[in-house]
């Protein structure tokens, strides 16, 4: 029975990968956030099914955080309260669900998410993902999350593509 949950978890990870690739092609922070909310919930289930409860808890926290950022973006909010609060919550959750020293990679990667999602420029959000994704990739290698490793690789590729694609658009408008 455990084996079935493991394979379901990995399948959920692949679904999250597909949504993750799409998310960084969005042209607005709200578009990125809408996908990130769904991805965080899917990954929470993924990690729960593959036996990484710390990552499951942190992804539930990420989903809630993304919902807060989504509504913050809708009302035009800025400021550092939300990212600082999220960083404190990630730290507390990491301590409470400590798996091993490699939990620090996920924690620091999620700090990057807090900063990246607080930025109003999607290009800057994509740049922060270039730091966040490798940290989370290392964590996923330690917990043997195939979906997580593919996802973070896709986030890297998608962020790079989004940076290049939207840079050309921005360069055209400035000439």
């Amino acid at each position: 029975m455990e084996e079935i949950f493991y394979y379901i978890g990995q399948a959920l990870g692949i679904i999250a990968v597909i949504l993750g690739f799409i998310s960084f092609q969005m042209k607005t922070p709200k578009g990125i956030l809408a996908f990130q909310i769904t991805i965080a919930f899917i990954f929470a289930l993924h990690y729960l099914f593959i036996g990484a409860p710390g990552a499951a808890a942190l992804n539930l926290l990420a989903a809630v955080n993304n919902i807060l950022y989504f509504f913050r973006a809708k009302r035009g909010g800025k400021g550092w309260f939300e990212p600082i609060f999220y960083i404190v919550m990630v730290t507390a959750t990491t301590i409470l669900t400590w798996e091993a020293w490699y939990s620090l990679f996920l924690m620091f990667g999620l700090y990057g998410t807090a900063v990246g999602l607080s930025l109003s420029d999607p290009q800057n959000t994509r740049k922060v993902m270039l730091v966040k994704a490798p940290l989370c990739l290392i964590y996923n290698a330690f917990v043997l999350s195939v979906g997580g490793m593919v996802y973070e690789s896709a986030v890297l590729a998608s962020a790079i593509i989004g940076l290049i694609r939207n840079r050309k658009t921005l360069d055209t408008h400035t000439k």
Side-chain angles (χ1 to χ4, degrees):
M1 189 69 162
E2 286 182 32
E3 195 171 304
I4 291 171
F5 285 120
Y6 177 80
Y7 289 118
I8 291 170
Q10 293 299 351
L12 288 169
I14 298 304
I15 292 167
V17 167
I18 294 166
L19 294 176
F21 187 80
I22 294 168
S23 76
F24 288 105
Q25 302 311 307
M26 298 293 108
K27 292 187 183 261
T28 66
K30 288 188 288 187
I32 293 171
L33 279 170
F35 274 89
Q36 291 298 313
I37 292 165
T38 304
I39 292 164
F41 279 122
I42 292 170
F43 262 119
L45 287 173
H46 161 76
Y47 287 114
L48 189 61
F49 285 0
I50 68 164
L58 285 166
N59 273 274
L60 285 176
L61 180 61
V64 171
N65 185 62
N66 291 343
I67 291 167
L68 294 174
Y69 274 111
F70 182 83
F71 288 108
R72 174 185 174 206
K74 283 183 90 167
R75 60 176 205 274
K78 295 189 190 293
W80 287 98
F81 173 77
E82 290 93 344
I84 291 170
F85 179 74
Y86 181 65
I87 287 169
V88 168
M89 293 304 295
V90 165
T91 303
T93 303
T94 299
I95 292 167
L96 292 171
T97 61
W98 186 258
E99 294 173 70
W101 61 271
Y102 53 80
S103 298
L104 294 172
F105 287 105
L106 184 57
M107 183 179 76
F108 290 125
L110 292 177
Y111 289 176
T113 299
V115 172
L117 293 178
S118 69
L119 303 172
S120 58
D121 179 4
Q123 286 294 79
N124 288 334
T125 300
R126 292 178 186 104
K127 290 174 186 172
V128 172
M129 293 304 123
L130 295 177
V131 175
K132 172 259 187 204
L135 292 169
C136 293
L137 180 62
I138 293 167
Y139 171 83
N140 283 299
F142 277 103
V143 298
L144 300 175
S145 168
V146 174
M149 288 185 283
V150 173
Y151 175 76
E152 295 303 339
S153 298
V155 167
L156 274 172
S158 184
I160 291 167
I161 291 167
L163 281 165
I164 293 168
R165 192 181 96 207
N166 290 300
R167 185 173 138 218
K168 289 179 183 176
T169 302
L170 293 173
D171 288 345
T172 303
H173 293 301
T174 59
K175 290 182 180 178

